[in-house]
Amino acid sequence: MNATELIAKVKNLAPVSQSALKLVGLLDQPAISNEDIVQVLKFDTVLTAKLLRACNSPFFGLEEPVSSVEQAVLILGHQQILHIALSIAFSSTMAAPLPGYAAEAKELWQHSLVAAMASENIARNSNALSVDAPVAFTAGLLHDIGKVVMNQVLTPDARTALLDRIASNGQSRTEAEREIIGVDHADIGKCLLETWRLPDTIIEAVGNHHHPVSRPEPKLSCLVHTANCLAHVIGSNLGWEAFAERADAGAIEVLDIDQIKLDELVVAAHESMCQVEQLMQMA
């Protein structure tokens, strides 16, 4: 069964706001203005209401409450508004429990937000890739969205077979998924984003986040792959050995990540956890 067929089988995938997809589409443009953001959001009353509630939360500590999208964008800037709006818009899709991945409610959502912020941080501090921070954030946010679809088509027998391949044969999760299901969650995520007509850069990063493209020139998947690895190991006894074992050597090389930079990324990831918790409460 291919990715398109699997996606077609899923009937109860939480709908994603068309406004959110339009916002992601804007990332493909050379420059995004405040007015571009306002024009997309102004007709989505539900997303606008949630956005304004988030902007007026104690987290941002605004002296005066904002009452319109125009005002919110002017005060916080379009990059911050994009972060909030996309985090809110995709929360219902990615916050559900995923028994096929032994993930409780909001566990995938938290991981995705940590990866998004790590992706953005790496993008801001990397000379290897020229990528705008909002693009990196969005790619990190959506990198595991294929798991939402995969979870719904995993039968109990398929789950048992996957765990057996991982435990007995030493296969990775993606290798086991391809052997048992025919595709892995990255393939499904790539296909899903293609149906949503999102920018090619983000589609590439999602589709290749387990097999990043570093040659002949590095792609965004190198950055998202590294951020994903960081997000996975951030709660364990993280050290260079643990990180290097999980991360692709080519991605580490092109991003020029050594022990010193890894330590800096770890500190930044820990600091972002507070913001992640705030974003999850706002959604």
Side-chain angles (χ1 to χ4, degrees):
M1 189 177 299
N2 61 38
T4 303
E5 293 169 338
L6 282 175
I7 292 171
K9 288 185 65 175
V10 175
K11 304 300 182 184
N12 58 342
L13 187 66
V16 176
S17 162
Q18 288 300 307
S19 296
L21 297 182
K22 288 179 182 178
L23 287 177
V24 179
L26 289 178
L27 300 177
D28 214 18
Q29 298 182 7
I32 306 174
S33 68
N34 288 0
E35 183 60 25
D36 292 331
I37 305 298
V38 171
Q39 287 301 315
V40 171
L41 289 174
K42 66 189 297 184
F43 298 110
D44 191 322
T45 56
V46 174
L47 185 55
T48 293
K50 291 182 178 180
L51 176 66
L52 293 179
R53 184 186 68 185
C55 292
N56 288 316
S57 70
F59 178 75
F60 291 105
L62 300 181
E63 294 184 0
E64 298 290 337
V66 296
S67 57
S68 68
V69 174
E70 290 91 341
Q71 189 180 8
V73 175
L74 183 63
I75 293 174
L76 295 177
H78 71 263
Q79 289 194 10
Q80 184 68 264
I81 294 299
L82 275 171
H83 285 189
I84 301 169
L86 293 177
S87 298
I88 291 171
F90 286 100
S91 63
S92 59
T93 301
M94 302 177 70
L98 303 180
Y101 289 87
E104 298 180 359
K106 296 188 177 182
E107 196 171 322
L108 173 66
W109 185 224
Q110 182 183 50
H111 165 74
S112 299
L113 285 169
V114 172
M117 292 184 181
S119 294
E120 181 182 48
N121 184 45
I122 296 171
R124 292 185 188 279
N125 294 282
S126 174
N127 296 321
L129 288 168
S130 177
V131 55
D132 291 336
V135 175
F137 179 91
T138 305
L141 184 70
L142 300 178
H143 76 280
D144 265 346
I145 198 166
K147 288 184 177 180
V148 179
V149 176
M150 179 72 86
N151 176 73
Q152 296 193 31
V153 299
L154 284 176
T155 64
D157 287 344
R159 293 175 195 170
T160 300
L162 283 171
L163 293 175
D164 181 65
R165 295 294 194 284
I166 295 169
S168 302
N169 298 351
Q171 292 179 326
S172 68
R173 177 83 192 203
T174 54
E175 290 171 336
E177 286 175 347
R178 288 187 177 187
E179 186 170 317
I180 301 299
I181 309 298
V183 292
D184 63 36
H185 64 271
D187 297 324
I188 295 173
K190 176 177 181 290
C191 184
L192 185 61
L193 299 195
E194 286 173 341
T195 65
W196 289 346
R197 299 183 179 180
L198 298 194
D200 290 341
T201 303
I202 295 175
I203 292 173
E204 184 279 326
V206 171
N208 294 323
H209 76 270
H210 283 292
H211 303 283
V213 179
S214 56
R215 298 288 185 271
E217 60 182 43
K219 300 289 188 181
L220 183 56
S221 53
C222 284
L223 190 152
V224 174
H225 166 82
T226 304
N228 177 48
C229 293
L230 181 66
H232 271 298
V233 299
I234 194 68
S236 63
N237 294 321
L238 179 62
W240 174 254
E241 292 78 11
F243 176 75
E245 181 180 351
R246 184 181 286 269
D248 178 85
I252 295 176
E253 181 181 355
V254 298
L255 294 174
D256 193 25
I257 295 177
D258 55 15
Q259 180 65 66
I260 294 175
K261 285 193 175 181
L262 177 63
D263 291 342
E264 294 172 350
L265 290 172
V266 170
V267 171
H270 277 299
E271 290 176 347
S272 73
M273 287 302 296
C274 176
Q275 189 173 356
V276 165
E277 291 170 2
Q278 290 286 340
L279 285 172
M280 291 176 71
Q281 292 173 9
M282 294 174 191

